[in-house]
Amino acid sequence: MLYLGCHLSSSAGFYNMGKQALSIGANTFQFFLRNPRGGAAKDIDNNDVKLFLDLAKINNFGKILAHAPYTLNPCSKDEKTREFARLVFADDLKRMENIPGNLYNFHPGSHVGQGTDVAINQIVEILDEVTPIAKNTTILLETMSGKGSEVGSTFEELAEIISKAKYNSVEKLGVCLDTCHVYSAGYDIVNNLNKVIEDFDRVIGLSRLKAIHLNDSMTEFNSRKDRHEKLGDGTLGLQGLINFVNHPALKGIPINLETPNELPGYANEINIIRNNYK
Ligand code: FE
Ligand code: FE
Ligand code: ZN
């Protein structure tokens, strides 16, 4: 089953996101629980959730993916920023319990000069504190491009976070692979896809791979930049991305587009991927 969707605005609620997804040929989606800068979250309306769950069931939706605010930095040098990350993370996970069985993705963060070792311990500390709140949600670490002082641009760093975390079963803690980010971080999924998948499996384990962000990239291979591009307009290219989604190891993993598009652009990309899915 191909679960394919894109990032949607959550302002109109879950049921409307579900309807919007259907209107563009999607059967999953990604969303923010609060504004991406980390502002106040709207209360979750149980009736809205119920309507969404019915719609999702009838239409065979895959798991949906909440994305943490971009400002959430669990390994900031600044204690206040880490405290904000802890509070937002905990509050988001509490909200996710209203839509059980889904996924919550976050950026491991930027260490801003503290070094990766200190950062990894800080990320683990926050995870150990918030994971017990997520009784019915899998928390995902996103693979990062390595821009600035980002943590999580190598599979080894992600594996280290996972192995140090107290609650690290595959149901509790996984990974979301972003195609633009890994390509920018030096994993050549265009010319060496099998090798990258093997590396992922050896270092992290494929059972941890719970979600995919499908993006082309504006910047060259190994650029350590994070600039998403529309599918086929970037350095990965359409064929590379089609080969990627068709890799047998990735079957059934929900895929979301985060390309610079409005709904019609997303509908077009979803259509292209569906037509080239074997
Ligand atoms: Fe992200
Ligand atoms: Fe992403
Ligand atoms: Zn990105």
Side-chain angles (χ1 to χ4, degrees):
M1 187 69 171
L2 176 59
Y3 297 113
L4 181 59
C6 64
H7 189 91
L8 294 176
S9 160
S10 54
S11 54
F14 286 97
Y15 179 68
N16 276 310
M17 283 192 282
K19 293 288 264 185
Q20 223 166 44
L22 289 172
S23 78
I24 56 171
N27 54 356
T28 184
F29 54 86
Q30 174 176 271
F31 61 100
F32 290 120
L33 284 159
R34 62 188 70 236
N35 94 32
R37 299 267 128 221
K42 273 201 325 184
D43 279 341
I44 288 183
D45 171 350
N46 285 328
N47 189 48
D48 174 47
V49 169
K50 196 194 166 305
L51 289 171
F52 165 69
L53 292 176
D54 290 346
L55 186 79
K57 196 170 177 189
I58 294 165
N59 292 284
N60 286 312
F61 271 48
K63 288 177 191 281
I64 56 172
L65 176 61
H67 196 302
Y70 294 134
T71 47
L72 189 146
N73 185 4
C75 60
S76 169
K77 212 156 92 179
D78 174 22
E79 158 102 62
K80 282 213 181 78
T81 306
R82 290 203 305 278
E83 184 55 23
F84 171 80
R86 193 187 310 266
L87 293 173
V88 169
F89 211 141
D91 188 58
D92 277 0
L93 291 177
K94 214 188 308 168
R95 286 166 199 281
M96 290 300 287
E97 291 298 297
N98 293 299
I99 41 164
N102 291 299
L103 309 164
Y104 182 82
N105 172 60
F106 77 106
H107 295 176
S110 297
H111 66 69
V112 278
Q114 305 189 94
T116 311
D117 291 347
V118 171
I120 286 177
N121 289 333
Q122 289 172 340
I123 295 162
V124 168
E125 191 185 315
I126 290 195
L127 274 175
D128 288 352
E129 196 173 313
V130 300
T131 309
I133 300 166
K135 296 194 171 55
N136 297 291
T137 302
T138 306
I139 298 170
L140 307 182
L141 297 145
E142 183 166 352
T143 62
M144 302 312 293
S145 67
K147 71 171 189 302
S149 62
E150 267 176 357
V151 180
S153 65
T154 66
F155 297 161
E156 284 76 11
E157 286 177 6
L158 296 171
E160 189 180 338
I161 296 167
I162 292 168
S163 75
K164 286 186 169 165
K166 193 167 165 188
Y167 310 101
N168 65 359
S169 68
V170 289
E171 293 79 35
K172 292 282 176 203
L173 204 52
V175 171
C176 171
L177 187 152
D178 186 307
T179 55
C180 165
H181 297 176
V182 292
Y183 192 66
S184 290
Y187 292 101
D188 193 350
I189 54 173
V190 176
N191 300 300
N192 257 319
L193 179 58
N194 281 328
K195 165 84 168 56
V196 176
I197 302 260
E198 277 164 33
D199 285 351
F200 188 100
D201 192 33
R202 180 174 38 80
V203 177
I204 298 176
L206 276 170
S207 60
R208 298 274 179 190
L209 185 52
K210 305 285 190 188
I212 290 161
H213 286 161
L214 191 70
N215 303 306
D216 212 327
S217 172
M218 286 185 190
T219 62
E220 68 278 19
F221 173 67
N222 207 12
S223 61
R224 301 184 76 81
K225 297 237 167 60
D226 183 358
R227 305 281 307 280
H228 300 189
E229 180 56 285
K230 295 187 175 83
L231 305 191
D233 286 355
T235 52
L236 281 87
L238 189 56
Q239 194 55 54
L241 291 162
I242 288 171
N243 294 343
F244 179 84
V245 298
N246 279 293
H247 194 285
L250 309 180
K251 297 276 156 171
I253 299 173
I255 301 172
N256 280 293
L257 303 160
E258 299 176 309
T259 46
N261 274 309
E262 303 293 330
L263 284 182
Y266 282 134
N268 176 44
E269 291 184 342
I270 287 169
N271 190 37
I272 292 169
I273 295 299
R274 287 204 184 282
N275 286 333
N276 288 282
Y277 190 74
K278 293 167 200 99

